[in-house]
Amino acid sequence: MKPSTDRNETLFEQARRVIPGGVNSPVRAFKAVGGTPRFIRRAHGAYLWDENGDRFIDYIGSWGPMILGHNHPAVVEAVLEAVREGFSFGAPTERETLLAEQIVRLMPAIEMLRLVSSGTEAGMSAIRLARGATGRNKIVKFEGCYHGHADALLVKAGSGLATFGHPTSAGVPPEVTRDTLVLAYNDVAQLEAAFAEHGSQVAGLIIELIAGNMNFVRATTAFMRRCRELCSQHGALLILDEVMTGFRVALGGAQSLYAREIAGFAPDLTVLGKVIGGGMPLAAFGGRRAVMEQLAPLGPVYQAGTLSGNPVATACGLATLRQLQQPRFFETLANRTRALVDGLAAAAREQSLPFSADSEGGMFGFFLLPELPRNYAAVMKSDATRFNRLFHGLLERGIYIAPALYEAGFVSAAHSAQDIEATIAAARAVFAELRNK
Ligand code: KE4
């Protein structure tokens, strides 16, 4: 076969010989959209450059962490300074306390937290903590929400409401998922029936308030009010997975938005990741002191990690959170993101294409559907073939969106008004092509 002149193809071929699928996380392989993934050589501000030297406006932002844009000078300086003092000690550092104090101050429902290295680790640990703190085993999650790849959370809905979950992955024993109940997102009746039947055995309910793993689906206020009420009524812990929304949709996370609508709304535990590490491996879980103090070395729930609270990662996270607290940071970011989705919707309307979009802070989603979907079944009515053509049409024009229709998009503080305009212009051209095919 003729050797490819495309560095991405050559590198993908080379990678697939030694890394399963050529990637270290499945979504990067472009399997859903087809084609060759772009191997990124460098990034700066709102842009990525691949190994061919092609530039892209980046709406993935490492799947959320890069809210400031790539290589923000203050963050680079903080990381370089930390590196010069050492990479990892396996001993406590002041910086971990400073980062924990920042998060506690910005998210008042978190009285204490534990730093870990990935959102999966944070979610897995929060589930174990909920079970240990309540002495119960059952967990409630929702179809379309993703909380990392811990065994107990790789679950699809059972055959009916009362039946518990079945594994979505090979290698997960059915015994591990039989205590996980998967319900429909935003379905109050199902939620109430499930708690009526199983409430006394539920350790925790875990949910994304804005489900970025269904692209962008908001939990209704009524639904979240009932989640909070039923957890309180039955002694279960409300666990908010804000790995994606934390410090992305608002300075206080999505929970701060719902607390404005629901009197007294607060989770018992929160899971964080992505933005708090600023692009370095760092995540966290935290919540009420009485629950968190069940963790080793104080309490009976074991949890640990060699690189937890890593000094370089915490320096990156601290420098990132410092920038987020600049005056009008989220107002400016939210306006820019809203300008993007409004522009895309207007361009789609010009071509009479079914299109709906939404955004909060620096996170957005859009659907090739006339109405915003409210749950997983509705999201899955999207036209995957048309989405794939949209994805590649934009990529060819230097616009890099998520290579999967169920993934959210992210705007950074580095995206300029010109970047947004260029993106809308590219989308207008692709929508015209879609209409004609
Ligand atoms: P990580 O283990 O990937 O750091 O975090 C898992 C996780 C937990 N909770 C939520 C709400 C998440 O969105 C994630 C990870 N998100 C995916 C994108 N949907 C990361 C991208 C990937 O898997 O490569």
Side-chain angles (χ1 to χ4, degrees):
M1 188 173 80
K2 175 173 70 64
S4 167
T5 55
D6 180 319
R7 283 280 294 150
N8 295 305
E9 287 175 6
T10 307
L11 289 170
F12 194 33
E13 181 51 41
Q14 182 184 354
R16 283 186 301 204
R17 291 192 208 106
V18 288
I19 300 173
V23 292
N24 287 305
S25 199
V27 72
R28 303 176 189 173
F30 277 24
K31 195 169 174 195
V33 294
T36 301
R38 299 306 189 262
F39 280 65
I40 304 305
R41 176 180 298 169
R42 69 182 182 93
H44 192 85
Y47 312 122
L48 300 170
W49 284 266
D50 73 4
E51 289 288 353
N52 287 333
D54 293 332
R55 191 196 82 162
F56 301 91
I57 301 177
D58 178 18
Y59 288 104
I60 297 183
S62 179
W63 300 98
M66 308 319 294
I67 192 167
L68 302 180
H70 296 283
N71 276 17
H72 185 288
V75 179
V76 171
E77 184 46 44
V79 168
L80 292 177
E81 194 179 316
V83 159
R84 291 188 196 100
E85 292 164 351
F87 284 62
S88 180
F89 315 126
T93 64
E94 180 187 16
R95 205 175 285 139
E96 292 159 79
T97 307
L98 296 176
L99 179 58
E101 287 172 343
Q102 284 282 327
I103 294 170
V104 164
R105 186 170 58 78
L106 294 169
M107 283 195 159
I110 297 178
E111 295 176 325
M112 295 190 99
L113 62 88
R114 174 63 57 86
L115 298 174
V116 295
S117 300
S118 74
T120 291
E121 201 181 344
M124 172 184 76
S125 305
I127 294 298
R128 183 182 312 132
L129 177 57
R131 286 172 160 163
T134 60
R136 301 175 180 181
N137 293 335
K138 302 216 180 308
I139 295 293
V140 174
K141 77 172 290 284
F142 297 90
E143 198 172 34
C145 288
Y146 174 68
H147 306 292
H149 60 90
D151 280 358
L153 294 167
L154 288 180
V155 195
K156 60 176 178 274
S159 52
L161 167 64
T163 55
F164 281 82
H166 304 296
T168 54
S169 165
V172 175
E175 301 76 43
V176 170
T177 56
R178 71 179 172 209
D179 283 323
T180 308
L181 187 58
V182 183
L183 303 179
Y185 197 77
N186 278 328
D187 187 328
V188 172
Q190 238 196 45
L191 178 75
E192 291 178 337
F195 268 88
E197 183 163 359
H198 305 288
S200 61
Q201 302 164 60
V202 175
L205 178 154
I206 186 167
I207 190 166
E208 294 178 69
L209 287 170
I210 300 176
N213 288 285
M214 287 192 264
N215 193 315
F216 193 107
V217 180
R218 293 177 191 266
T220 64
T221 304
F223 182 66
M224 282 319 303
R225 181 181 287 112
R226 286 306 282 145
C227 284
R228 177 65 275 175
E229 287 170 351
L230 288 165
C231 282
S232 301
Q233 184 184 329
H234 292 273
L237 300 186
L238 177 62
I239 307 166
L240 298 184
D241 182 341
E242 294 226 45
V243 166
M244 194 184 288
T245 54
F247 305 104
R248 167 57 69 172
V249 300
L251 190 54
Q255 57 191 262
S256 66
L257 306 176
Y258 282 79
R260 290 181 204 152
E261 306 295 321
I262 306 170
F265 181 79
D268 299 296
L269 290 175
T270 299
V271 184
L272 296 168
K274 295 181 191 279
V275 169
I276 66 167
M280 298 290 281
L282 194 149
F285 63 105
R288 286 195 289 114
R289 179 178 298 278
V291 177
M292 292 304 291
E293 290 183 339
Q294 299 299 309
L295 277 176
L298 293 180
V301 180
Y302 193 69
Q303 183 277 332
T306 300
L307 297 178
S308 294
N310 172 269
V312 180
T314 48
C316 192
L318 270 171
T320 300
L321 291 192
R322 196 167 297 124
Q323 294 302 318
L324 300 187
Q325 297 172 71
Q326 297 296 317
R328 295 168 46 83
F329 178 91
F330 276 96
E331 183 186 342
T332 307
L333 180 64
N335 290 341
R336 183 110 343 128
T337 310
R338 181 51 61 172
L340 172 68
V341 295
D342 289 349
L344 293 175
R349 268 196 306 277
E350 289 164 16
Q351 304 298 334
S352 310
L353 283 174
F355 187 93
S356 52
D358 195 358
S359 73
E360 190 67 53
M363 180 174 162
F364 70 92
F366 64 80
F367 301 89
L368 300 180
L369 295 168
E371 303 278 319
L372 280 173
R374 276 269 164 261
N375 58 37
Y376 180 73
V379 170
M380 287 300 129
K381 291 192 178 114
S382 299
D383 180 337
T385 306
R386 184 172 260 187
F387 173 82
N388 295 350
R389 290 215 307 266
L390 171 61
F391 171 81
H392 284 289
L394 288 172
L395 195 66
E396 286 156 18
R397 291 169 171 82
I399 309 298
Y400 197 143
I401 65 169
L405 67 81
Y406 51 79
E407 294 285 2
F410 305 98
V411 174
S412 82
H415 283 73
S416 67
Q418 292 70 24
D419 293 322
I420 301 301
E421 279 312 312
T423 304
I424 294 165
R428 183 173 288 111
V430 181
F431 288 155
E433 284 176 2
L434 289 183
R435 186 169 182 218
N436 300 329
K437 288 196 259 187

